[in-house]
Amino acid sequence: MNKTFKKSVISGLTLAMMLGGATAAFADNGNGKGNDKNKGKSANVKASKNVNVNIKLSFDDLQGADVEWAQRYIASLASKQVFEGYEDGTFQPRKTITRIEAITAAVRLMGLRDQAESDAAKSADLNFKDSDKLEEKYPWAVGYVSVALQNDLFTETDTMVQPEKEADRLWATTLLVKALKLQNEAKAKMNAKLPYKDASQIPAGSVGYVAVAIEKNLIDGYEDNTFRPNKPVTRAELAALLDRTGTQLPDQASVKGTLTAGVSNNLLNVKLSNNTTVNVELDSNAFIFRNGSRVASSELRAGDELLVRTYNSKAIYVEVTKLANSTTTPSTDFSVSGTLNSYTLNNQGEIATITINQPVNGGTQTAVYNASSNLYISGDLSLLTAGRSIELKGKNSLVTTLIIR
């Protein structure tokens, strides 16, 4: 059965918009990945080294509609050991992120954790005015700052790390564009006209970074068409930003492909892009994300396109990136495409109506549709903002499926 994703998770934030349940701990024997060069043959994912790793994919404080939307982002990042929770079992999603936390996560996202935690990096001499404070209060972070500096995550004019300062939306956006090594693209777009009402609050030297972030779908504005560059970023919001950025970086510890059959004997049979088939064993506590919800392995369908991350040769995180056709095409008696004009919510925070703009005879026609209480959503709902391309499907003028392009 398909799981429906109700829009109780929608909030005013449209920054790329964590996860309740039991803790999942895994022993790591390396990053398993199928690399069989013999096309058409079956290969088992194997481990390459022996390292004990304790990975926590769920946390104790992620209940509530204002943070539940971020569950897959948190699980995805935790499975890569990029962005983790606290020792007391919490993630504190509503807490604002500090600069040192954001820098640490960005360096890990770039695959530089080992370098940052090396003896050489941890003993580096830093030339910031607050280096002494950093070394005294955050000795573990010295290596991360050193590696961030080497990789141009700071500007030439930065004289202080300011580790405890809140990271605002503009600073975090700039940091992640730099993590993608897109500084040259950002410089080329410094004269871009940003689409926000408060664009004048964004310094001229930062315009290009925001333009690139929009182009790469890293970040979006708010429903009132503002960017709010100085607004502090929460840990949940940064998780979404980080995960979006991570999709555009190499992911060496993942398997990507199409599920060839339903899960049998706790094995995922995945066909890769080169027609190689790999078998990946599911960990008993694996986080599986499909249709906007965490699901059991029995919900996976042949034809689902998957992103699988492994530890100890077992899948610990599985995300369905594209649903099988058999589950994404419910019977309908109408289907309309266009761009989102607006939507309204009911008292439960779920979508009640959807207003869509459709091109008709060279002009634009606006129509309002009522949404089913079991509205099925396909796509990233954090992208559901005015002007976004959407498709509505349903019966008897009632929308049962919303597809976000």
Side-chain angles (χ1 to χ4, degrees):
M1 298 229 359
N2 292 336
K3 299 287 185 183
T4 56
F5 192 8
K6 297 183 179 181
K7 290 304 273 287
S8 59
V9 294
I10 294 181
S11 68
L13 282 174
T14 53
L15 168 69
M17 304 273 226
M18 233 165 233
L19 167 73
T23 297
F26 307 90
D28 179 24
N29 284 337
N31 299 328
K33 184 174 180 181
N35 288 316
D36 194 329
K37 297 180 180 179
N38 299 315
K39 293 184 178 181
K41 294 186 178 181
S42 177
N44 289 315
V45 175
K46 295 188 180 295
S48 58
K49 60 182 180 179
N50 230 353
V51 180
N52 289 325
V53 175
N54 213 20
I55 299 177
K56 184 178 177 64
L57 298 189
S58 59
F59 302 91
D60 302 334
D61 58 344
L62 300 179
Q63 293 76 33
D66 61 326
V67 292
E68 287 175 350
W69 51 261
Q71 60 176 306
R72 75 177 177 92
Y73 300 119
I74 297 302
S76 175
L77 293 167
S79 72
K80 294 191 292 183
Q81 294 183 276
V82 168
F83 200 28
E84 301 162 340
Y86 294 92
E87 292 180 357
D88 63 357
T90 65
F91 188 85
Q92 301 185 28
R94 301 168 184 85
K95 181 181 177 182
T96 55
I97 197 80
T98 64
R99 289 194 176 193
I100 197 60
E101 289 176 312
I103 289 169
T104 299
V107 169
R108 290 177 177 177
L109 192 69
M110 296 170 73
L112 302 174
R113 180 171 185 158
D114 288 346
Q115 182 180 338
E117 295 181 0
S118 68
D119 291 338
K122 289 190 291 187
S123 61
D125 290 326
L126 302 175
N127 293 314
F128 294 102
K129 291 181 179 180
D130 55 353
S131 293
D132 291 345
K133 179 180 179 181
L134 181 74
E135 293 169 4
E136 178 184 351
K137 296 194 66 175
Y138 307 96
W140 57 267
V142 171
Y144 283 96
V145 172
S146 175
V147 170
L149 192 59
Q150 294 171 31
N151 285 272
D152 299 323
L153 299 190
F154 289 93
T155 68
E156 292 85 348
T157 58
D158 282 332
T159 61
M160 300 179 71
V161 179
Q162 297 179 281
E164 296 172 345
K165 184 175 181 179
E166 291 179 329
D168 58 46
R169 279 169 54 87
L170 179 59
W171 184 89
T173 299
T174 303
L175 176 73
L176 295 181
V177 170
K178 289 180 176 181
L180 288 173
K181 303 291 187 181
L182 297 177
Q183 292 93 323
N184 290 337
E185 290 188 28
K187 291 176 182 178
K189 295 180 181 293
M190 287 302 179
N191 294 321
K193 184 174 178 59
L194 299 177
Y196 306 114
K197 291 191 299 186
D198 57 350
S200 62
Q201 297 180 22
I202 299 173
S206 299
V207 167
Y209 287 96
V210 176
V212 169
I214 295 170
E215 182 181 291
K216 300 296 183 181
N217 293 319
L218 302 184
I219 198 166
D220 208 338
Y222 288 83
E223 292 176 347
D224 61 356
N225 197 33
T226 60
F227 183 77
R228 306 180 195 178
N230 301 316
K231 185 179 185 298
V233 176
T234 66
R235 287 172 54 83
E237 292 165 353
L238 184 69
L241 266 175
L242 287 165
D243 194 62
R244 285 186 171 188
T245 305
T247 62
Q248 300 180 51
L249 289 168
D251 190 351
Q252 301 300 326
S254 69
V255 175
K256 297 179 182 179
T258 303
L259 191 66
T260 62
V263 177
S264 177
N265 296 322
N266 215 35
L267 288 177
L268 298 172
N269 192 269
V270 183
K271 184 178 181 180
L272 309 181
S273 59
N274 62 0
N275 290 324
T276 298
T277 299
V278 297
N279 295 318
V280 188
E281 183 180 356
L282 277 168
D283 189 277
S284 59
N285 290 310
F287 181 98
I288 303 173
F289 187 88
R290 189 179 195 275
N291 275 11
S293 300
R294 184 177 183 178
V295 299
S297 61
S298 59
E299 297 288 340
L300 295 174
R301 298 286 181 266
D304 282 346
E305 294 185 14
L306 306 180
L307 166 67
V308 183
R309 294 202 181 96
T310 63
Y311 278 95
N312 193 29
S313 300
K314 294 183 180 181
I316 62 169
Y317 177 86
V318 180
E319 180 181 344
V320 178
T321 57
K322 185 177 181 180
L323 297 173
N325 289 333
S326 61
T327 61
T328 57
T329 312
S331 59
T332 63
D333 58 13
F334 77 88
S335 177
V336 296
S337 298
T339 59
L340 178 69
N341 179 291
S342 61
Y343 60 81
T344 63
L345 305 179
N346 59 24
N347 291 335
Q348 287 73 48
E350 302 168 349
I351 284 188
T353 65
I354 304 171
T355 303
I356 188 172
N357 296 328
Q358 298 172 265
V360 177
N361 299 324
T364 300
Q365 176 177 297
T366 300
V368 181
Y369 291 87
N370 292 319
S372 167
S373 60
N374 290 317
L375 180 64
Y376 168 89
I377 297 171
S378 175
D380 187 344
L381 66 86
S382 67
L383 299 178
L384 191 61
T385 56
R388 174 65 56 180
S389 294
I390 60 173
E391 182 178 359
L392 306 178
K393 296 182 179 183
K395 287 177 172 293
N396 303 320
S397 299
L398 185 68
V399 177
T400 57
T401 299
L402 165 61
I403 301 173
I404 304 169
R405 303 298 188 189

